[in-house]
Structure formats: C-alpha cells, structure tokens
Amino acid sequence: MISKTLFSIVCAILVWILCVSFYLLSFYVPFLENQELQSNIVLALAIIPSACLGAYLFYKNSYMKPSTLALTFIIVATVLDVLITVPVFVIPNGGSYSEFFRDPMFYTIVVEFYFIVLYYGNHLTKKLEA
C-alpha cells in the first residue's frame, strides 16, 4: 500500500496538472483583452473543482488532517511551479522567478487553494466519521 504522504503528493501533482492545463488553455480562448488577467481568473475558478477532486481522491483512500493535506498540496504546487512552471512557461515569455513570486495573484491563489482543500477536507472527513 502506498504511504499517505506519497499519495497526498500524487493527488497534489494531479491538481497542479489540472490547474496548469486550465491556465494554459485559457490563452487559446480569448474573451478578455488582458490575457494575463483572463488566465488568472480561469485559474482562480479552475482551482475550485481541481482541489476538490484532489481532496476527494485522497480521502477516498487515505486520511490526513485537512490542514496538513492543504499545506502538502500548496508545497507540492509551489515546488512544481519552481521546477516547471517558471522555467518552461514564464521565463520563455519574458518573465522571471521574482516576477512570478512577487505577483499578488500568486498569493491570492495560494490562500484560495488552502481554504478550498481545508473546507472540502473537513466536509469529507465529517462524512467519514458519521
């Protein structure tokens, strides 16, 4: 059986892949003039079902405190942003690590991500206890 820590990391990677996919796809369906704002809006919306799916898959097979799972998801996503998102997608388009991590939207999405996983995790664990 896979350890719960490793399984939480796998679920976090799935959530990150979904979110990055939605973010990148948003550039191909323009509906706002400001593409960066559009992609951030799409990401902020896409993170809701993606985080819920990741939490659901995790709690279906394992248990961890929702706050710990939320932090695990955030840490994994941040590490993947450092290793993949910034060098592959941001830097080739003229951005930088400092620009990416100084963006207030990054921290807004991190907070949103944490609270979605925390809330949905608490909801799922209450169902498991009942």
Side-chain angles (χ1 to χ4, degrees):
M1 178 72 186
I2 190 170
S3 78
K4 65 182 176 182
T5 302
L6 182 57
F7 188 55
S8 68
I9 292 170
V10 169
C11 290
I13 291 170
L14 172 67
V15 172
W16 178 83
I17 289 170
L18 287 170
C19 290
V20 168
S21 297
F22 278 109
Y23 181 85
L24 294 174
L25 286 173
S26 73
F27 286 100
Y28 294 102
V29 184
F31 57 89
L32 293 178
E33 284 186 33
N34 184 336
Q35 287 285 303
E36 191 63 34
L37 175 62
Q38 173 183 306
S39 60
N40 283 329
I41 290 170
V42 168
L43 178 58
L45 294 173
I47 205 166
I48 297 167
S50 301
C52 290
L53 175 64
Y56 171 78
L57 291 174
F58 178 80
Y59 285 115
K60 184 177 174 184
N61 298 301
S62 194
Y63 178 80
M64 179 183 287
K65 286 175 52 176
S67 58
T68 305
L69 183 65
L71 288 174
T72 301
F73 278 21
I74 289 169
I75 290 167
V76 169
T78 303
V79 168
L80 290 171
D81 283 343
V82 167
L83 297 175
I84 299 171
T85 305
V86 175
V88 174
F89 303 113
V90 175
I91 292 174
N93 290 313
S96 66
Y97 280 99
S98 61
E99 184 179 304
F100 183 84
F101 289 105
R102 277 190 285 137
D103 186 356
M105 194 62 182
F106 173 80
Y107 296 98
T108 303
I109 290 171
V110 166
V111 170
E112 176 192 12
F113 193 19
Y114 177 83
F115 283 110
I116 290 168
V117 175
L118 181 68
Y119 174 79
Y120 194 65
N122 280 326
H123 174 73
L124 289 174
T125 55
K126 285 180 185 173
K127 280 187 172 183
L128 292 173
E129 293 169 358

